[in-house]
Amino acid sequence: MIRINNFIIPLFSLIIFCLLWELLVWYNNWPNYKMASPSDLWPAFWKFKHLFLIYGWETFWRTVVGLILSVLVGLSLGILMGFSKTIRIGLYPILVGFNAIPKATVVPVIALIFVGMHNMNTIIIVILISFFPICVSISIGLSTLEREYEDILLSLGANKFEIFYKIALPKTLPEFFGALKVSTTLAFIGTNLMEIIEPHGKGLGHLFDSGKISADYPLMFAVLITLAVMGIFLYYIVVYLENIFAGWAIRK
Amino acid sequence: MHINIEKVSHQYETKQGMLPVLKDLSLSIKRKGFTAIVGPSGCGKSTITRLVSGLIKPTQGSIFISNKKITSPLSTVGMAFQNPVLLEWRNVIKNIILPLEIVSKNMTYNQKRSNALDLLKLVGLEEFENNLPSELSGGMKQRVSLCRSLVHSPEVLILDEPFAALDAFTKEDLWDVMHKLKKERDFTCILITHDLREAVYLADQVIVLSGRPASLQYDVKTNFNEEKKISDLYSSEVSQLLATLRNQIEIAQNKND
Ligand SMILES: Nc1ncnc2c1ncn2[C@@H]1O[C@H](COP(=O)(O)OP(=O)(O)OP(=O)(O)O)[C@@H](O)[C@H]1O
Ligand SMILES: [Mg+2]
C-alpha cells in the first residue's frame, strides 16, 4: 500500500499541476510565444524526438559523471575539514568565496582554459557548482560528532580510522544524502550553464538555444520539461540509494 | 583489579586560561569493589572517568590499575554514559558487539553474538535482538548500553550517570539489573551519580568530592546488607547514612560558592 501511494500521490499532483497550467494559459488566452501550455509540448517533443534522445543523453551522462566527481571532491574536502580544525579554518573562506562567484562568469574562463574540450568543460562546471553542499554537510557532520561516540571506541584503544568508518561516516550519511539531493539539482544547472552560454552543439542546452533562434517556443518549453523530468529521475535514484544506505534515519 | 588514584591534579586549557578541576585527589578502590562518586555539578566527576579510562592524562599524579600505571586506554575497561550513544544504524545485537570488533578482531561473528546474547538475556531484552535503537524506550536503550560496556568482559566498568535521565521506576528496575550484572560478571565498578539513594543502593563505597577543584572530602563504606533490596533504603540505618551524605554534599557546594 505504501509503495503504491508513493507512486500514485506524486503522479496525481503532477497531473493537477499540468491541468492548472493548461487552465492558466487557456484562461488568459496567452499565445504560444508568451507561455506554451502542456498540450503544445507533446507535439514539439514528438517532432524532435531523435534530437531529444541524442542531446538528452549528452546532458544526462555529463551531469551524472560531474555529480559523481563532485561527490568525490566534496567527500574528500569534507573529510579533511571535518577532522582537522586547521584545514577547516583555512579552507572555509576560500570555498565560501568561490561558491559566491556566479558560475555563469566562470563558464567562459573554463572554456578558455580548456579550449575545445567540451565534455571536460561541462563536467568541471558541474563539479564546481555541486561539490559545495556535500563538502559542508560532511565537514559539519564529522566535526560535531558527540564526544561520547568517540569515547566508547577510544577507550578501547581504537584508532582514528576505526572511529571514522565504524561511527563517524555512517552517522553523517543522512546529512550527506540531504546534501546530495541539493547537489543533484544543482548539477543540471551546471551542465546547462555550459551548454547555453558556450554553445558547442551538444546537449539539451544547445537544443534550447536553437529553439530560441528559430523562435520555437514550445520546443524551448519541452526542453525545460525534459530537464525537469531528468532531474526528478536522478533525484529518485538518490532517494533509492538513501533508502539502502541510510534507511535507518528515515521515519516510517 | 584495584584502582589507585594517587595525588592526581588536573587542569583544562580554556579560553579564560587554565581551569583547575582536580586537586591532589587520592583514593583507592578495592578489587571487585563498587564505588560511587558524588559531588557538586561540574566539580570534575566525568574528568575522573576520562582519566581512569586513559582517555586523558592527569596534569600531575598517577592512576594505577592493579599497580600498573595508566598511560593510554586499556581494553579491559568498559564505559557507559548518561547518553546511551547507541549507533542508530545498527540493531541491538550489532550495537552490543561493537567493542568486540575492536578488541577481539579474531572472534567469529557467532561467538560475538552469543557473548552479546548472554548479556541481553541478563538484562531481559533477548526478544529485541534485531530491533533498531529508535524502536526502544529510554530504559531499554540504557540496558543495551550496559550490555555493550560489558560484552568484552572488562575488569573495570566505568559508569557516568547512566540512569540520570530515567524516571524513578525505570531507574529502580535498572538498579536491580546492575545488581544482577555485578553478581554474574564480577568487575570493579566506578559509578558517577547525583542520586544518593542510587549510590547507597548500588555501591559498597561512596565518595563525596569537594567543589571544584575537587579533592576527596568524604569516604564511607556502605555495606549495610549483602543482598540489598529497595525496601532497605527506608531503614533507619540507611536514612542516617543518606542524611550524612546529604550534609557532606552541602558542605561541598558551599565551598564551591
Ligand atoms: N575538554 C574540556 N576542556 C575544557 N574544560 C573542560 C573540559 N571538560 C570539562 N571541562 C570543565 O571542567 C569542569 C569539570 O567537568 P566535568 O565534566 O568533569 O564535571 P562533572 O563533575 O562531570 O559535571 P556534571 O556533574 O555536570 O556532569 C567543568 O567546569 C567543565 O566546564
Ligand atoms: Mg559529568
Side-chain angles (χ1 to χ4, degrees):
Chain A
M1 197 56 210
I2 294 168
R3 279 184 166 276
I4 295 173
N5 275 344
N6 279 349
F7 183 71
I8 296 282
I9 295 171
L11 191 72
F12 193 67
S13 59
L14 215 66
I15 291 173
I16 291 189
F17 176 77
C18 288
L19 281 178
L20 286 176
W21 178 3
E22 187 81 41
L23 202 72
L24 184 77
V25 176
W26 174 80
Y27 179 80
N28 288 307
N29 216 356
W30 279 332
N32 236 332
Y33 55 81
K34 192 162 187 181
M35 177 96 148
S37 64
S39 57
D40 299 326
L41 299 183
W42 186 248
F45 185 70
W46 198 245
K47 201 163 101 196
F48 299 107
K49 58 180 182 301
H50 59 288
L51 290 183
F52 270 99
L53 221 67
I54 297 168
Y55 291 141
W57 171 244
E58 273 168 3
T59 298
F60 188 74
W61 80 257
R62 294 193 292 192
T63 309
V64 171
V65 170
L67 192 61
I68 292 172
L69 291 176
S70 61
V71 167
L72 292 181
V73 173
L75 264 179
S76 335
L77 284 177
I79 290 172
L80 286 178
M81 288 163 69
F83 277 122
S84 159
K85 201 176 167 196
T86 320
I87 296 181
R88 183 159 69 244
I89 297 171
L91 278 185
Y92 249 121
I94 299 175
L95 291 182
V96 171
F98 203 80
N99 206 47
I101 298 174
K103 291 300 168 297
T105 61
V106 181
V107 168
V109 178
I110 297 284
L112 269 179
I113 298 177
F114 306 103
V115 184
M117 305 164 82
H118 301 312
N119 289 335
M120 184 158 130
N121 289 339
T122 314
I123 289 169
I124 289 178
I125 286 294
V126 174
I127 298 174
L128 290 182
I129 213 167
S130 35
F131 82 95
F132 191 68
I134 298 173
C135 167
V136 171
S137 75
I138 290 284
S139 77
I140 291 178
L142 294 182
S143 61
T144 54
L145 185 72
E146 291 99 321
R147 195 168 67 187
E148 281 114 330
Y149 278 97
E150 282 186 3
D151 284 357
I152 47 172
L153 286 193
L154 275 180
S155 65
L156 296 167
N159 57 40
K160 274 241 159 203
F161 182 65
E162 283 170 318
I163 293 171
F164 174 68
Y165 83 94
K166 283 201 189 294
I167 297 189
L169 188 67
K171 205 170 155 48
T172 39
L173 276 183
E175 282 97 354
F176 166 75
F177 277 105
L180 186 56
K181 288 174 187 170
V182 177
S183 292
T184 304
T185 49
L186 286 177
F188 278 101
I189 298 178
T191 339
N192 282 278
L193 261 179
M194 196 44 132
E195 289 170 356
I196 293 174
I197 298 180
E198 290 287 322
H200 37 57
K202 277 185 174 173
L204 287 175
H206 169 67
L207 196 59
F208 181 84
D209 222 37
S210 48
K212 203 163 100 191
I213 291 164
S214 56
D216 190 341
Y217 295 100
L219 173 61
M220 291 163 74
F221 269 95
V223 168
L224 298 186
I225 296 299
T226 312
L227 281 171
V229 170
M230 288 196 326
I232 295 171
F233 174 68
L234 217 52
Y235 177 88
Y236 275 105
I237 289 185
V238 173
V239 170
Y240 177 72
L241 293 175
E242 182 184 26
N243 266 304
I244 294 179
F245 293 108
W248 51 270
I250 298 165
R251 221 173 278 145
K252 302 265 157 36
Chain B
M1 296 248 153
H2 58 279
I3 302 170
N4 285 313
I5 297 181
E6 287 179 8
K7 291 213 164 65
V8 164
S9 299
H10 193 74
Q11 21 184 265
Y12 285 113
E13 227 172 289
T14 65
K15 287 190 195 87
Q16 290 83 35
M18 297 306 270
L19 176 76
V21 174
L22 301 176
K23 191 165 189 290
D24 266 337
L25 177 71
S26 295
L27 57 94
S28 58
I29 295 167
K30 72 168 201 283
R31 188 168 172 276
K32 311 290 185 199
F34 198 130
T35 298
I37 299 180
V38 298
S41 184
C43 74
K45 301 182 293 298
S46 298
T47 304
I48 295 178
T49 67
R50 291 170 61 76
L51 286 167
V52 173
S53 60
L55 287 169
I56 52 176
K57 291 194 184 70
T59 323
Q60 270 166 44
S62 344
I63 298 170
F64 300 88
I65 294 187
S66 298
N67 298 324
K68 267 187 34 209
K69 187 171 166 176
I70 305 172
T71 49
S72 61
L74 300 172
S75 57
T76 51
V77 170
M79 287 184 101
F81 313 93
Q82 173 172 350
N83 178 352
V85 285
L86 300 179
L87 312 185
E88 289 160 85
W89 56 95
R90 290 185 174 218
N91 64 19
V92 164
I93 203 86
K94 294 216 170 102
N95 259 290
I96 298 177
I97 66 175
L98 180 73
L100 294 174
E101 291 174 11
I102 305 295
V103 301
S104 313
K105 293 198 172 75
N106 299 325
M107 206 184 253
T108 65
Y109 175 76
N110 279 338
Q111 273 176 304
K112 290 179 193 161
R113 178 170 169 269
S114 97
N115 281 5
L117 270 180
D118 288 345
L119 282 161
L120 212 46
K121 279 185 196 129
L122 274 178
V123 303
L125 281 184
E126 63 267 38
E127 291 144 55
F128 294 89
E129 179 187 345
N130 295 313
N131 286 65
L132 286 176
S134 56
E135 297 160 338
L136 306 179
S137 70
M140 288 155 90
K141 281 184 192 157
Q142 207 48 264
R143 283 170 207 246
V144 175
S145 169
L146 283 175
C147 290
R148 181 182 58 195
S149 66
L150 287 170
V151 74
H152 53 301
S153 310
E155 294 178 75
V156 178
L157 178 66
I158 301 175
L159 303 174
D160 193 350
E161 305 189 39
F163 315 123
L166 305 175
D167 67 82
F169 297 118
T170 312
K171 221 182 208 184
E172 290 181 0
D173 278 348
L174 274 155
W175 291 351
D176 287 331
V177 166
M178 240 1 265
H179 271 311
K180 209 156 136 195
L181 289 172
K182 177 79 170 82
K183 212 168 143 196
E184 293 283 327
R185 297 291 170 115
D186 219 13
F187 39 77
T188 309
C189 188
I190 299 180
L191 169 75
I192 309 292
T193 180
H194 276 127
D195 185 334
L196 295 178
R197 291 169 71 237
E198 176 174 304
V200 171
Y201 188 54
L202 290 177
D204 50 46
Q205 176 188 24
V206 179
I207 281 166
V208 180
L209 295 178
S210 64
R212 198 177 63 227
S215 54
L216 185 80
Q217 175 173 319
Y218 191 70
D219 182 349
V220 63
K221 300 274 176 293
T222 63
N223 248 343
F224 54 89
N225 193 343
E226 268 304 305
E227 295 276 312
K228 293 173 187 169
K229 294 190 297 296
I230 293 283
S231 55
D232 291 345
L233 287 176
Y234 300 95
S235 70
S236 64
E237 193 188 354
V238 174
S239 301
Q240 207 149 39
L241 181 58
L242 287 173
T244 314
L245 288 170
R246 176 77 253 163
N247 190 33
Q248 288 294 331
I249 292 274
E250 261 156 38
I251 296 170
Q253 279 167 337
N254 284 342
K255 190 188 159 189
N256 199 18
D257 281 343

